[in-house]
Amino acid sequence: MRIYYAMEAEGLRHHVRSALGVDAAAWNRFHRRIHEWRRSLESRYGIPADLGLRPGELVSTPHSCTCGCHSEPAPRQGAEVIAEGLRLIEDFAAEYGGVRLTNICLDKNHITSHRRVSLDRLFNRVNATAAQSGGHALVIFGQEPEEMVTGLYHRLRNYNPVPARQGPCDDGWHTRNLPIERVIGGPAFRDPDGDCLLQAVGLVAHALLWQEEPPDTDALGGAFGILDRSLNRRAARNDPQGVVRR
């Protein structure tokens, strides 16, 4: 069983949806490590552990601390916080395994209904990954319940036409119905402010967006490069980072 935590990031041209998959056997250890890191940010920068970690705010304006006893992270320090979070995910994947990142990045100028398309791609990649391992998956979204998410999930559970090659030379195309039966329980929704794993994958989504739309800070544009062994490259074999782009 793998639990996925999904977050979005929106740029001027690109829409990103990232999902952090955590195996049930690794969940306690990974959650403990992320939670301890979040607590450390409170002592170092005054970022309360019980409030959300918003990447855009980390690199734009200092976090407001009312107690007056913490140093406030400047944009440069905010970039360091984001890099720390990404490195934590990467190091855990390299050391223990049991975590994997699936990423979708769509050009909004080329793909209409990009949010719906990215959601379709996410559900299908999660289902395919679960099928490869002979397991199942649950997806938790860091947002308010949304009809598009629940509606698409229930449709794909029953009807999910997937293109496939046919013929002796694979020179033709047809579609076959592959319901996402490995994604169980329906989509769940949580407030990212109260879930440190949703906050962690939020860093991933923004790092990918900044790679596609480089900001003024060079450190942010290269942040996604921290991730390597944690990436699900099977999601898009033609992309060096496994990012689904269509």
Side-chain angles (χ1 to χ4, degrees), residues 6-8 10 15 17 113-119 123 141-154 186-190:
M7 291 284 282
E8 298 174 83
E10 201 80 20
H15 167 78
R17 194 184 294 271
S113 304
H114 49 270
R115 289 192 71 245
R116 188 178 188 88
V117 172
S118 72
L119 186 62
F123 278 137
F141 292 89
Q143 63 187 73
E144 293 292 325
E146 185 177 341
E147 175 58 32
M148 185 188 74
V149 179
T150 56
L152 182 61
Y153 169 79
H154 289 298
F189 301 91
R190 289 184 185 171

Short mmCIF file of all heavy atoms in Angstrom, two decimals, residues 6-8 10 15 17 113-119 123 141-154 186-190:
data_model
loop_
_atom_site.label_atom_id
_atom_site.label_comp_id
_atom_site.label_asym_id
_atom_site.label_seq_id
_atom_site.Cartn_x
_atom_site.Cartn_y
_atom_site.Cartn_z
N ALA A 6 -0.61 14.95 -2.71
CA ALA A 6 -0.57 15.70 -3.97
C ALA A 6 -0.81 17.19 -3.74
O ALA A 6 -1.72 17.59 -3.01
CB ALA A 6 -1.61 15.15 -4.94
N MET A 7 0.03 17.99 -4.40
CA MET A 7 -0.09 19.45 -4.36
C MET A 7 0.12 20.03 -5.76
O MET A 7 0.73 19.41 -6.62
CB MET A 7 0.94 20.03 -3.39
CG MET A 7 0.67 19.72 -1.92
SD MET A 7 -0.67 20.71 -1.23
CE MET A 7 0.18 22.28 -0.97
N GLU A 8 -0.37 21.27 -5.95
CA GLU A 8 -0.26 21.96 -7.23
C GLU A 8 0.58 23.21 -7.09
O GLU A 8 0.76 23.75 -5.99
CB GLU A 8 -1.64 22.37 -7.75
CG GLU A 8 -2.59 21.25 -8.03
CD GLU A 8 -3.98 21.78 -8.40
OE1 GLU A 8 -4.19 22.13 -9.58
OE2 GLU A 8 -4.82 21.86 -7.49
N GLU A 10 1.17 26.87 -9.67
CA GLU A 10 0.71 27.54 -10.88
C GLU A 10 1.64 28.69 -11.23
O GLU A 10 1.97 29.53 -10.39
CB GLU A 10 -0.71 28.08 -10.68
CG GLU A 10 -1.46 28.34 -11.96
CD GLU A 10 -2.04 27.07 -12.56
OE1 GLU A 10 -2.21 26.07 -11.83
OE2 GLU A 10 -2.32 27.08 -13.77
N HIS A 15 1.57 24.70 -15.44
CA HIS A 15 0.80 24.14 -14.32
C HIS A 15 1.50 22.86 -13.87
O HIS A 15 1.79 21.99 -14.69
CB HIS A 15 -0.63 23.82 -14.76
CG HIS A 15 -1.38 22.98 -13.77
ND1 HIS A 15 -1.94 23.49 -12.62
CD2 HIS A 15 -1.66 21.65 -13.76
CE1 HIS A 15 -2.53 22.53 -11.95
NE2 HIS A 15 -2.37 21.39 -12.61
N ARG A 17 1.64 19.59 -11.06
CA ARG A 17 0.99 18.77 -10.03
C ARG A 17 1.99 17.70 -9.62
O ARG A 17 2.44 16.92 -10.46
CB ARG A 17 -0.30 18.13 -10.55
CG ARG A 17 -1.18 17.57 -9.44
CD ARG A 17 -2.40 16.85 -10.00
NE ARG A 17 -3.33 17.73 -10.68
CZ ARG A 17 -4.34 18.38 -10.09
NH1 ARG A 17 -4.52 18.25 -8.79
NH2 ARG A 17 -5.16 19.14 -10.80
N SER A 113 -7.76 23.01 -20.45
CA SER A 113 -8.21 22.26 -19.26
C SER A 113 -7.03 21.56 -18.58
O SER A 113 -7.08 20.38 -18.25
CB SER A 113 -9.28 21.24 -19.64
OG SER A 113 -10.37 21.83 -20.30
N HIS A 114 -5.95 22.33 -18.40
CA HIS A 114 -4.72 21.74 -17.89
C HIS A 114 -4.86 21.13 -16.50
O HIS A 114 -4.23 20.11 -16.21
CB HIS A 114 -3.59 22.77 -17.89
CG HIS A 114 -3.96 24.08 -17.27
ND1 HIS A 114 -4.50 25.11 -17.98
CD2 HIS A 114 -3.87 24.50 -15.98
CE1 HIS A 114 -4.72 26.13 -17.16
NE2 HIS A 114 -4.36 25.77 -15.95
N ARG A 115 -5.69 21.69 -15.64
CA ARG A 115 -5.86 21.11 -14.31
C ARG A 115 -6.50 19.74 -14.39
O ARG A 115 -6.10 18.80 -13.69
CB ARG A 115 -6.70 22.03 -13.41
CG ARG A 115 -6.00 23.30 -12.98
CD ARG A 115 -6.74 24.01 -11.86
NE ARG A 115 -6.66 23.29 -10.59
CZ ARG A 115 -7.71 22.76 -9.97
NH1 ARG A 115 -8.92 22.85 -10.49
NH2 ARG A 115 -7.56 22.13 -8.82
N ARG A 116 -7.50 19.62 -15.25
CA ARG A 116 -8.16 18.33 -15.41
C ARG A 116 -7.24 17.30 -16.06
O ARG A 116 -7.20 16.14 -15.66
CB ARG A 116 -9.43 18.50 -16.25
CG ARG A 116 -10.31 17.26 -16.32
CD ARG A 116 -11.58 17.51 -17.13
NE ARG A 116 -12.50 16.39 -17.02
CZ ARG A 116 -13.40 16.26 -16.06
NH1 ARG A 116 -13.50 17.19 -15.12
NH2 ARG A 116 -14.21 15.21 -16.04
N VAL A 117 -6.48 17.75 -17.05
CA VAL A 117 -5.55 16.84 -17.72
C VAL A 117 -4.47 16.37 -16.75
O VAL A 117 -4.12 15.18 -16.70
CB VAL A 117 -4.93 17.52 -18.95
CG1 VAL A 117 -3.81 16.66 -19.54
CG2 VAL A 117 -5.99 17.80 -20.02
N SER A 118 -3.92 17.28 -15.95
CA SER A 118 -2.88 16.88 -14.99
C SER A 118 -3.42 15.91 -13.96
O SER A 118 -2.72 14.98 -13.53
CB SER A 118 -2.28 18.11 -14.30
OG SER A 118 -3.18 18.69 -13.38
N LEU A 119 -4.65 16.09 -13.57
CA LEU A 119 -5.28 15.18 -12.61
C LEU A 119 -5.46 13.79 -13.23
O LEU A 119 -5.20 12.77 -12.58
CB LEU A 119 -6.63 15.76 -12.18
CG LEU A 119 -7.37 15.03 -11.06
CD1 LEU A 119 -6.55 15.04 -9.78
CD2 LEU A 119 -8.73 15.70 -10.83
N PHE A 123 -3.72 10.35 -11.70
CA PHE A 123 -4.44 9.14 -11.34
C PHE A 123 -3.93 7.94 -12.14
O PHE A 123 -3.75 6.84 -11.59
CB PHE A 123 -5.95 9.32 -11.58
CG PHE A 123 -6.67 10.03 -10.48
CD1 PHE A 123 -7.61 11.01 -10.75
CD2 PHE A 123 -6.44 9.71 -9.15
CE1 PHE A 123 -8.29 11.67 -9.74
CE2 PHE A 123 -7.11 10.36 -8.11
CZ PHE A 123 -8.04 11.34 -8.42
N PHE A 141 -5.20 14.93 -1.30
CA PHE A 141 -4.97 16.22 -1.94
C PHE A 141 -4.94 17.33 -0.89
O PHE A 141 -5.75 17.36 0.03
CB PHE A 141 -6.08 16.51 -2.95
CG PHE A 141 -6.06 15.60 -4.15
CD1 PHE A 141 -6.75 14.40 -4.14
CD2 PHE A 141 -5.35 15.94 -5.28
CE1 PHE A 141 -6.73 13.55 -5.23
CE2 PHE A 141 -5.31 15.10 -6.39
CZ PHE A 141 -6.01 13.90 -6.35
N GLY A 142 -4.02 18.26 -1.08
CA GLY A 142 -3.89 19.38 -0.16
C GLY A 142 -4.75 20.54 -0.60
O GLY A 142 -4.23 21.60 -0.99
N GLN A 143 -6.05 20.39 -0.53
CA GLN A 143 -6.98 21.41 -0.97
C GLN A 143 -8.36 21.11 -0.41
O GLN A 143 -8.60 20.06 0.19
CB GLN A 143 -7.06 21.43 -2.50
CG GLN A 143 -7.59 20.12 -3.09
CD GLN A 143 -7.50 20.07 -4.60
OE1 GLN A 143 -6.43 19.94 -5.16
NE2 GLN A 143 -8.65 20.18 -5.25
N GLU A 144 -9.29 22.04 -0.64
CA GLU A 144 -10.67 21.80 -0.27
C GLU A 144 -11.27 20.74 -1.21
O GLU A 144 -10.84 20.61 -2.36
CB GLU A 144 -11.48 23.10 -0.38
CG GLU A 144 -11.09 24.17 0.63
CD GLU A 144 -11.45 23.77 2.05
OE1 GLU A 144 -12.49 23.11 2.22
OE2 GLU A 144 -10.70 24.12 2.97
N PRO A 145 -12.24 19.97 -0.72
CA PRO A 145 -12.91 19.02 -1.62
C PRO A 145 -13.42 19.71 -2.88
O PRO A 145 -13.94 20.81 -2.82
CB PRO A 145 -14.07 18.48 -0.77
CG PRO A 145 -13.58 18.64 0.64
CD PRO A 145 -12.76 19.90 0.65
N GLU A 146 -13.21 19.07 -4.02
CA GLU A 146 -13.54 19.69 -5.30
C GLU A 146 -14.24 18.68 -6.19
O GLU A 146 -13.81 17.53 -6.31
CB GLU A 146 -12.26 20.20 -5.97
CG GLU A 146 -12.49 20.96 -7.25
CD GLU A 146 -11.19 21.50 -7.82
OE1 GLU A 146 -10.19 21.59 -7.07
OE2 GLU A 146 -11.16 21.81 -9.03
N GLU A 147 -15.32 19.11 -6.83
CA GLU A 147 -16.12 18.23 -7.66
C GLU A 147 -15.31 17.66 -8.82
O GLU A 147 -15.49 16.51 -9.21
CB GLU A 147 -17.36 18.96 -8.18
CG GLU A 147 -18.21 18.16 -9.15
CD GLU A 147 -18.73 16.85 -8.56
OE1 GLU A 147 -18.97 16.80 -7.33
OE2 GLU A 147 -18.88 15.88 -9.32
N MET A 148 -14.42 18.46 -9.40
CA MET A 148 -13.64 17.97 -10.52
C MET A 148 -12.79 16.77 -10.12
O MET A 148 -12.67 15.80 -10.86
CB MET A 148 -12.73 19.08 -11.07
CG MET A 148 -11.96 18.66 -12.32
SD MET A 148 -10.71 19.85 -12.84
CE MET A 148 -9.44 19.59 -11.61
N VAL A 149 -12.20 16.83 -8.93
CA VAL A 149 -11.35 15.74 -8.46
C VAL A 149 -12.17 14.48 -8.20
O VAL A 149 -11.85 13.39 -8.69
CB VAL A 149 -10.57 16.15 -7.20
CG1 VAL A 149 -9.70 15.01 -6.70
CG2 VAL A 149 -9.73 17.39 -7.46
N THR A 150 -13.23 14.61 -7.44
CA THR A 150 -14.04 13.44 -7.11
C THR A 150 -14.76 12.90 -8.34
O THR A 150 -14.86 11.69 -8.53
CB THR A 150 -15.07 13.79 -6.02
OG1 THR A 150 -15.87 14.90 -6.44
CG2 THR A 150 -14.37 14.16 -4.72
N GLY A 151 -15.25 13.81 -9.19
CA GLY A 151 -15.96 13.38 -10.38
C GLY A 151 -15.08 12.62 -11.34
O GLY A 151 -15.46 11.57 -11.88
N LEU A 152 -13.87 13.14 -11.57
CA LEU A 152 -12.95 12.46 -12.49
C LEU A 152 -12.51 11.12 -11.91
O LEU A 152 -12.39 10.13 -12.64
CB LEU A 152 -11.74 13.35 -12.76
CG LEU A 152 -10.72 12.78 -13.75
CD1 LEU A 152 -11.36 12.54 -15.11
CD2 LEU A 152 -9.52 13.72 -13.88
N TYR A 153 -12.26 11.08 -10.61
CA TYR A 153 -11.86 9.82 -9.99
C TYR A 153 -12.91 8.74 -10.23
O TYR A 153 -12.59 7.62 -10.66
CB TYR A 153 -11.63 10.01 -8.50
CG TYR A 153 -11.48 8.71 -7.74
CD1 TYR A 153 -10.27 8.01 -7.76
CD2 TYR A 153 -12.55 8.17 -7.03
CE1 TYR A 153 -10.13 6.81 -7.08
CE2 TYR A 153 -12.42 6.96 -6.34
CZ TYR A 153 -11.21 6.29 -6.37
OH TYR A 153 -11.08 5.09 -5.71
N HIS A 154 -14.17 9.04 -9.95
CA HIS A 154 -15.22 8.04 -10.09
C HIS A 154 -15.42 7.64 -11.55
O HIS A 154 -15.73 6.47 -11.85
CB HIS A 154 -16.52 8.55 -9.49
CG HIS A 154 -16.48 8.64 -7.99
ND1 HIS A 154 -16.30 7.53 -7.19
CD2 HIS A 154 -16.58 9.70 -7.14
CE1 HIS A 154 -16.30 7.89 -5.92
NE2 HIS A 154 -16.46 9.21 -5.86
N GLY A 186 -11.26 6.44 -2.80
CA GLY A 186 -11.68 7.77 -3.23
C GLY A 186 -10.65 8.81 -2.85
O GLY A 186 -9.83 8.59 -1.94
N PRO A 187 -10.65 9.97 -3.50
CA PRO A 187 -9.70 11.02 -3.13
C PRO A 187 -10.01 11.60 -1.75
O PRO A 187 -11.17 11.84 -1.41
CB PRO A 187 -9.88 12.08 -4.23
CG PRO A 187 -11.26 11.84 -4.76
CD PRO A 187 -11.52 10.38 -4.63
N ALA A 188 -8.97 11.78 -0.94
CA ALA A 188 -9.12 12.41 0.37
C ALA A 188 -8.57 13.83 0.29
O ALA A 188 -7.74 14.15 -0.56
CB ALA A 188 -8.36 11.60 1.43
N PHE A 189 -9.06 14.70 1.18
CA PHE A 189 -8.66 16.11 1.15
C PHE A 189 -8.26 16.55 2.55
O PHE A 189 -8.93 16.25 3.53
CB PHE A 189 -9.82 16.98 0.66
CG PHE A 189 -10.29 16.62 -0.73
CD1 PHE A 189 -11.31 15.68 -0.91
CD2 PHE A 189 -9.73 17.21 -1.85
CE1 PHE A 189 -11.75 15.33 -2.17
CE2 PHE A 189 -10.17 16.87 -3.13
CZ PHE A 189 -11.17 15.93 -3.28
N ARG A 190 -7.13 17.28 2.61
CA ARG A 190 -6.65 17.80 3.89
C ARG A 190 -6.11 19.21 3.70
O ARG A 190 -5.67 19.59 2.62
CB ARG A 190 -5.54 16.91 4.45
CG ARG A 190 -5.98 15.55 4.95
CD ARG A 190 -4.83 14.81 5.57
NE ARG A 190 -5.20 13.45 5.94
CZ ARG A 190 -4.33 12.52 6.34
NH1 ARG A 190 -3.03 12.84 6.43
NH2 ARG A 190 -4.72 11.31 6.67
#
